[in-house]
Amino acid sequence: MTYYPEPVARLIEALQRLPGIGPKTAQRLTFFLLKRPADEVRELADSLVAVKERIVSCSTCFNVTDQDPCRICADPARDTALLCVVEEPNDLLAMERTGEYKGRYHVLLGALSPLEGIGPDDIKVRELLQRLDAGGPTEVILATNPNVEGEATALYLARLLRPLGVRITRIARGLPVGGDLEYADQVTLSKALEGRREIV
Amino acid sequence: MGLGTSAAVVIGSFPLGESDRVVTFFSREFGRVRGVAKAARRIRSRFGGALELFTLGQLVFFDTGRSELVRIDHFDVTHPFAPLRENLETLGEAAWMVEIVARTTGERDRQPALYGLLVRALRAMEVAARPPRVAVCFGVRCLDVLGHRPRLDRCAECGRAYPFARPALGEGGVVCEACRPSVDAVPVAPATVAAFERLRGLRWEEAVASPIGRAGPELRAVLDTHLSRLIGQPTRSGRFLRDVRRLSEVSE
């Protein structure tokens, strides 16, 4: 790093801290930015600062937002009887992209992990209980990832929420649309068979 | 360097970059192997659900020799052990077993006996009415396989013949009351020492079915303490199991 002027070295070092960016990519990005007009670079810098300064976590659902409560929680057109539980804000965005879901969300900001030692106290489980205790939702949709951590979280929440008398559902698992049956692995295929339904 | 193939169990994984996954296998031929499964987190990944925890399969990887991580080419499922992931108790107990394997073995340290024990224990746990019993049997045998078999016929410190009153279990084995202050040992009931001795002497099927009564939970705790000492810190899955037990107490 001694070959570079100090500001260049600092930027390379800062970029390297981003996920998936190694020394070579950080160097390439730095030299790319050096070649761009000053306005464009300033806009990027302002966006980075604004994200940190203006984005907060919604105090109701824990989604990322620039207003508290977030637009979804504040929207009166949303169905308050439906509550979809997701692991991360990115999962919420994926659900929103479907355009099919009109209820509200609860973002756990993580998932239970037996091997990483992540327990219910490390994610927003207590806050979910508080929301349900306060009333409103009659159905909780567990939309955690279909992997070990997501399944463990769904199993845990299902058992925890059962005494509250709300309907608890889990998103379906199985084959992706457009996929070929012959390439499906046995776990996915058996889950698809398990979740089969009658065509009407 | 080159292509490697072996039967293996998935014992851990974590996300890498945009859609890749670093997966840890415990293989029969190569011991613990870590590798990158490209695009494994995509919904239409060619690996599908094959890289889920506990899955037993045939691993094919390419080792460039330039990195600790190999390139995972195929992992064809032999047995998915799906029921282990569908119940919180079995998930916790099976996670405890794979965590012990992952944290007590070195990279590329071939341990066929431990591999056989792990697969046998996962198979037993899949159909077990009492998953903690399988974990106890695994723990008892795991200590033997790893070369840390505790001495149970006499005090590990002074050599006094067992049985004696108020025994404790330490790293080296059973410890008498006089020696206990000098070693880090947990006081246990004589029934727990007897159960420990009996379980390691029985055939696997007999051990899993053998009644050990009230000694079970204490033996489980002693094994967790003992194996945590070997690892150098408390087991993470032990914490998960405590959370699950707390939930069971609340919901019952």
Side-chain angles (χ1 to χ4, degrees):
Chain A
M1 223 40 99
T2 48
Y3 313 115
Y4 301 118
E6 194 264 329
V8 173
R10 241 175 65 201
L11 182 58
I12 292 175
E13 208 180 304
L15 287 169
Q16 271 188 73
R17 288 188 213 128
L18 298 176
I21 295 189
K24 286 271 176 208
T25 311
Q27 193 179 309
R28 212 175 61 237
L29 289 172
T30 302
F31 283 100
F32 172 79
L33 290 170
L34 273 173
K35 287 179 194 161
R36 304 309 297 168
D39 285 353
E40 204 177 294
V41 177
R42 191 165 295 113
E43 195 187 317
L44 176 68
D46 289 347
S47 310
L48 288 171
V49 174
V51 153
K52 267 323 269 184
E53 284 179 351
R54 289 184 29 216
I55 297 297
V56 290
S57 193
C58 171
S59 57
T60 309
C61 71
F62 299 97
N63 184 21
V64 287
T65 178
D66 56 351
Q67 61 178 59
D68 191 13
C70 69
R71 283 181 182 83
I72 296 174
C73 289
D75 184 355
R78 288 274 176 167
D79 187 352
T80 53
L82 282 177
L83 187 69
C84 180
V85 180
V86 293
E87 288 178 22
E88 299 290 347
N90 284 346
D91 303 329
L92 184 154
L93 292 174
M95 292 292 285
E96 279 298 284
R97 275 199 298 267
T98 65
E100 294 286 320
Y101 180 69
K102 300 294 176 205
R104 292 193 171 159
Y105 294 93
H106 185 86
V107 184
L108 293 169
L109 300 181
L112 301 184
S113 172
L115 288 180
E116 294 303 319
I118 299 171
D121 296 336
D122 303 313
I123 58 175
K124 302 292 179 190
V125 170
R126 194 176 297 122
E127 291 79 356
L128 173 63
L129 272 178
Q130 283 164 0
R131 275 183 86 175
L132 293 170
D133 277 339
T138 54
E139 180 176 348
V140 176
I141 303 167
L142 300 174
T144 50
N145 286 329
N147 54 26
V148 173
E149 291 80 11
E151 288 302 326
T153 311
L155 286 168
Y156 185 91
L157 291 178
R159 204 193 277 184
L160 184 72
L161 306 182
R162 204 170 298 134
L164 301 180
V166 290
R167 185 171 179 235
I168 303 159
T169 53
R170 178 89 173 102
I171 50 166
R173 287 175 297 179
L175 300 163
V177 175
D180 265 24
L181 211 63
E182 66 172 308
Y183 294 114
D185 65 285
Q186 62 189 87
V187 183
T188 309
L189 205 48
S190 67
K191 290 292 165 200
L193 266 173
E194 237 175 71
R196 70 186 185 278
R197 62 180 188 183
E198 205 173 337
I199 297 178
V200 284
Chain B
M1 207 164 81
L3 209 60
T5 177
S6 172
V9 177
V10 178
I11 60 169
S13 71
F14 61 86
L16 176 76
E18 195 131 309
S19 60
D20 304 341
R21 190 171 276 283
V22 172
V23 187
T24 310
F25 296 91
F26 191 59
S27 68
R28 189 168 49 202
E29 306 302 329
F30 305 95
R32 185 153 62 84
V33 176
R34 281 190 311 148
V36 178
K38 297 294 270 181
R41 279 153 61 213
R42 290 193 194 276
I43 290 284
R44 289 187 193 189
S45 154
R46 66 199 167 96
F47 293 106
L51 300 176
E52 286 297 285
L53 193 66
F54 314 131
T55 304
L56 171 68
Q58 193 65 27
L59 170 69
V60 180
F61 65 88
F62 185 75
D63 184 5
T64 59
R66 290 193 300 269
S67 159
E68 273 184 17
L69 297 173
V70 299
R71 187 188 74 206
I72 300 165
D73 284 345
H74 299 285
F75 188 61
D76 297 325
V77 179
T78 312
H79 195 93
F81 287 119
L84 298 181
R85 300 185 291 267
E86 290 167 359
N87 175 290
L88 285 173
E89 282 81 13
T90 45
L91 170 64
E93 297 289 359
W96 183 76
M97 298 194 304
V98 297
E99 185 184 355
I100 298 297
V101 170
R103 298 175 77 184
T104 54
T105 56
E107 205 116 326
R108 308 292 175 97
D109 178 15
R110 189 173 175 265
Q111 300 235 23
L114 186 58
Y115 171 83
L117 175 64
L118 177 65
V119 173
R120 177 181 271 193
L122 290 173
R123 283 191 193 280
M125 193 163 282
E126 197 176 28
V127 291
R130 289 167 296 180
R133 171 66 58 78
V134 179
V136 163
C137 292
F138 171 83
V140 166
R141 282 168 161 72
C142 184
L143 285 172
D144 279 8
V145 171
L146 292 170
H148 292 273
R149 184 187 175 105
R151 179 158 211 180
L152 298 178
D153 60 336
R154 51 185 64 243
C155 175
E157 291 298 307
C158 66
R160 184 179 158 197
Y162 185 76
F164 39 73
R166 289 179 284 281
L169 271 172
E171 226 165 305
V174 72
V175 177
C176 69
E177 202 179 9
C179 296
R180 198 194 304 165
S182 60
V183 289
D184 190 11
V186 188
V188 288
T192 303
V193 180
F196 200 144
E197 181 78 85
R198 197 169 66 248
L199 286 182
R200 73 181 183 188
L202 291 171
R203 281 177 44 239
W204 173 263
E205 291 77 13
E206 289 169 348
V208 171
S210 164
I212 51 172
R214 288 184 195 168
E218 189 172 61
L219 187 49
R220 179 72 173 76
V222 164
L223 285 167
D224 191 53
T225 310
H226 203 76
L227 287 159
S228 295
R229 266 196 218 120
L230 281 181
I231 293 167
Q233 53 182 277
T235 55
R236 291 168 184 163
S237 44
R239 185 186 165 198
F240 177 81
L241 277 165
R242 281 191 291 279
D243 285 331
V244 170
R245 280 189 208 117
R246 205 175 60 193
L247 173 68
S248 303
E249 284 161 16
V250 172
S251 57
E252 268 164 17

